[in-house]
Amino acid sequence: MIALLTKDILTLKKVGVKFAIILALYAVIFSSSGGVAFLSAFIIIFSAMLIVNAFAYDELSKWDTYALSLPVTKKQIVLSRYLLGILFDTAGFLISILLALAARKLDSELSLIIYCFFAGSLFIMALMMPLLYKFGTQKARIWLIVLFLAPTAGAALLKNLGINFSALSSISNATAELLTIIFLPAALLLYIGSYFLSCWIFQNKEI
């Protein structure tokens, strides 16, 4: 398991260096202009999206075919990729916290933003990884665009049909706080469920 994680980290080493350079540039630009919230969101989402690169490199090198000749199971291969996703996402979360502390901008509002983006990125990965295992990186990207555009398109359609969304503004602060608190646990549960779905897809996939 550790060897599989190490392989992915070493494979993404060059991407990580480029990310560090971009991060340093954005940190100078947005920290000086007060855009720490945007920078935090960028770091967390970009960290989560690194997992797509890991899948892409594996496809190019036909890694899965080679990996199955090693003393590892398909479930272990999938588990290592999900652990990698958590590792990257948590790293992005911690970097965001440290940058906010360094910029002396870590108040309750920014903490909430970072928390929501951390949970949201887990939610995105939970939806994304079964698609990557099922369709591969190229086709999965198309499905992801469709998936994330669907709520926007649906909301626009309902609005055109005259359905009023003003009732959403009447949600109490207590309800809003509760929804925020359960966002991360719900995302974690979805992530665990996504792992089992990816295991099932990978088990039945011909390689």
Side-chain angles (χ1 to χ4, degrees), residues 49-60:
M49 291 301 102
L50 284 173
I51 204 72
V52 178
N53 293 79
F55 277 92
Y57 284 133
D58 280 0
E59 286 182 15
L60 287 173

Side-chain angles (χ1 to χ4, degrees), residues 83-102:
L83 291 176
L84 185 72
I86 285 283
L87 179 64
F88 284 161
D89 205 30
T90 303
F93 170 76
L94 293 176
I95 292 171
S96 296
I97 293 291
L98 290 174
L99 284 176
L101 286 171

Side-chain angles (χ1 to χ4, degrees), residues 27-81:
V28 172
I29 296 173
F30 289 101
S31 293
S32 60
S33 62
V36 179
F38 174 85
L39 180 60
S40 299
F42 169 79
I43 292 169
I44 294 172
I45 296 299
F46 192 92
S47 298
M49 291 301 102
L50 284 173
I51 204 72
V52 178
N53 293 79
F55 277 92
Y57 284 133
D58 280 0
E59 286 182 15
L60 287 173
S61 63
K62 307 294 183 183
W63 163 256
D64 287 338
T65 303
Y66 173 72
L68 293 176
S69 67
L70 301 174
V72 293
T73 65
K74 286 186 174 181
K75 286 186 177 181
Q76 288 175 323
I77 293 173
V78 175
L79 179 59
S80 70
R81 189 55 51 84

Side-chain angles (χ1 to χ4, degrees), residues 30-202:
F30 289 101
S31 293
S32 60
S33 62
V36 179
F38 174 85
L39 180 60
S40 299
F42 169 79
I43 292 169
I44 294 172
I45 296 299
F46 192 92
S47 298
M49 291 301 102
L50 284 173
I51 204 72
V52 178
N53 293 79
F55 277 92
Y57 284 133
D58 280 0
E59 286 182 15
L60 287 173
S61 63
K62 307 294 183 183
W63 163 256
D64 287 338
T65 303
Y66 173 72
L68 293 176
S69 67
L70 301 174
V72 293
T73 65
K74 286 186 174 181
K75 286 186 177 181
Q76 288 175 323
I77 293 173
V78 175
L79 179 59
S80 70
R81 189 55 51 84
Y82 272 77
L83 291 176
L84 185 72
I86 285 283
L87 179 64
F88 284 161
D89 205 30
T90 303
F93 170 76
L94 293 176
I95 292 171
S96 296
I97 293 291
L98 290 174
L99 284 176
L101 286 171
R104 298 182 180 179
K105 299 287 186 179
L106 190 63
D107 53 14
S108 58
E109 182 180 353
L110 182 56
S111 298
L112 180 61
I113 290 172
I114 294 174
Y115 169 85
C116 288
F117 270 98
F118 177 57
S121 59
L122 282 175
F123 185 85
I124 290 172
M125 286 195 297
L127 297 177
M128 181 174 63
M129 285 211 264
L131 293 173
L132 288 166
Y133 274 110
K134 179 65 176 179
F135 300 107
T137 53
Q138 297 303 319
K139 291 183 179 179
R141 283 169 181 165
I142 298 173
W143 280 102
L144 284 170
I145 291 172
V146 173
L147 182 65
F148 290 112
L149 283 180
T152 304
L157 177 61
L158 292 174
K159 186 176 181 180
N160 289 334
L161 292 174
I163 297 176
N164 191 357
F165 289 92
S166 60
L168 294 176
S169 62
S170 63
I171 294 177
S172 66
N173 290 335
T175 303
E177 289 177 4
L178 177 61
L179 291 174
T180 303
I181 291 171
I182 66 174
F183 188 20
L184 181 57
L188 286 170
L189 286 175
L190 183 64
Y191 196 74
I192 294 170
S194 173
Y195 160 71
F196 288 107
L197 176 58
S198 291
C199 283
W200 180 81
I201 292 171
F202 197 51

